[in-house]
């Protein structure tokens, strides 16, 4: 009964027929941004890392069947300061030369309390960083483009927010200066040809 209620809520939000099929998505022309916030000596710093590739499938009538696989190029990670960027990519933190990519593979999707995606959702998956794989969870939101019809899912905006403990991945360098918790925010514009 609960599953049928959740599916009905998604159908109502998107205005989809019950037989709608999963749709493959790629990064749109507006691309995607991975931002991370960390604390150095009590001061917050923000950096970015570009997404190298993304393979996404969204099943609007059964979100639990949706999938995401995203790869980021940690060699191109940046902070606002050159010395902090170099320290970030060093062997004691990201080890970018030995592990040039970070990878996220989704494992489960949860809808918000109302059973509607616009009420928020959560995306669980496995993050591989420095060759270490750990489970992570992101709070997720997904929106149609402004001004589009309820059933128009050709272009969507996605927002993911979560945090990781860098020590869980062996990225424990400069622990006397840098806090262990790193906040992550991913903004993506995705499109499908369907």
């Amino acid at each position: 009964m609960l599953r049928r209620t959740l599916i009905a809520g998604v159908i109502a939000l998107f205005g989809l027929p019950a037989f709608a099929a999963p749709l493959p998505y790629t990064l749109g022309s507006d691309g995607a941004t991975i931002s991370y916030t960390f604390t150095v000596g009590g001061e917050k710093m923000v950096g970015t890392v570009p997404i190298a590739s993304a393979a996404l499938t969204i099943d609007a009538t059964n979100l639990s069947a949706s999938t995401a696989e995203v790869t980021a190029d940690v060699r191109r990670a940046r902070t606002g300061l050159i010395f902090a960027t170099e320290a970030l990519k060093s062997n004691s933190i990201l080890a970018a030369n030995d592990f040039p990519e970070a990878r996220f593979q989704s494992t489960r999707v949860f809808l918000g309390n109302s059973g509607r995606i616009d009420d928020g959702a959560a995306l669980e998956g496995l993050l591989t960083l420095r060759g270490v794989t750990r489970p992570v969870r992101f709070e997720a939101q997904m929106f149609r483009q402004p001004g589009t019809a309820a059933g128009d899912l050709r272009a969507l905006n996605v927002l993911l927010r979560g945090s990781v403990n860098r020590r869980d991945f062996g990225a424990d360098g400069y622990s006397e200066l840098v806090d262990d918790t790193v906040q992550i925010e991913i903004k993506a514009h995705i499109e499908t040809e369907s």
Side-chain angles (χ1 to χ4, degrees), residues 14-190:
F14 288 128
L16 296 175
F19 54 82
L23 297 174
Y25 285 81
T26 57
L27 293 178
S29 56
D30 293 342
T33 303
I34 300 175
S35 301
Y36 53 91
T37 304
F38 57 103
T39 305
V40 179
E43 297 292 323
K44 288 193 183 281
M45 294 189 69
V46 177
T48 59
V49 60
I51 291 179
S53 65
L56 312 162
T57 301
I58 297 175
D59 186 338
T61 60
N62 180 13
L63 281 175
S64 62
S66 300
T67 61
E69 185 173 330
V70 179
T71 303
D73 184 352
V74 297
R75 295 169 299 184
R76 294 173 50 210
R78 299 285 181 264
T79 68
L81 301 170
I82 187 66
F83 71 87
T85 296
E86 293 307 312
L88 175 73
K89 294 190 283 187
S90 72
N91 286 340
S92 65
I93 301 184
L94 291 180
N97 287 333
D98 295 329
F99 303 99
E101 293 182 339
R103 181 175 178 266
F104 173 78
Q105 174 69 54
S106 66
T107 57
R108 195 164 178 194
V109 177
F110 298 91
L111 287 175
N113 291 335
S114 71
R116 293 172 53 102
I117 189 71
D118 60 348
D119 186 37
L123 181 65
E124 289 185 349
L126 298 173
L127 175 64
T128 301
L129 184 64
R130 290 178 48 104
V132 177
T133 302
R134 295 282 185 266
V136 295
R137 180 180 173 104
F138 292 102
E139 297 306 313
Q141 293 179 304
M142 186 169 54
F143 309 94
R144 292 188 322 269
Q145 294 296 292
T148 58
D152 186 353
L153 303 181
R154 290 175 293 170
L156 300 168
N157 290 324
V158 178
L159 174 63
L160 302 173
R161 288 189 175 119
S163 64
V164 297
N165 184 321
R166 65 191 186 100
R167 287 182 175 272
D168 291 344
F169 298 90
D172 55 4
Y174 304 95
S175 59
E176 69 282 1
L177 295 173
V178 182
D179 285 355
D180 292 337
T181 301
V182 178
Q183 303 293 328
I184 299 172
E185 181 178 273
I186 302 170
K187 293 180 180 177
H189 175 78
I190 60 174

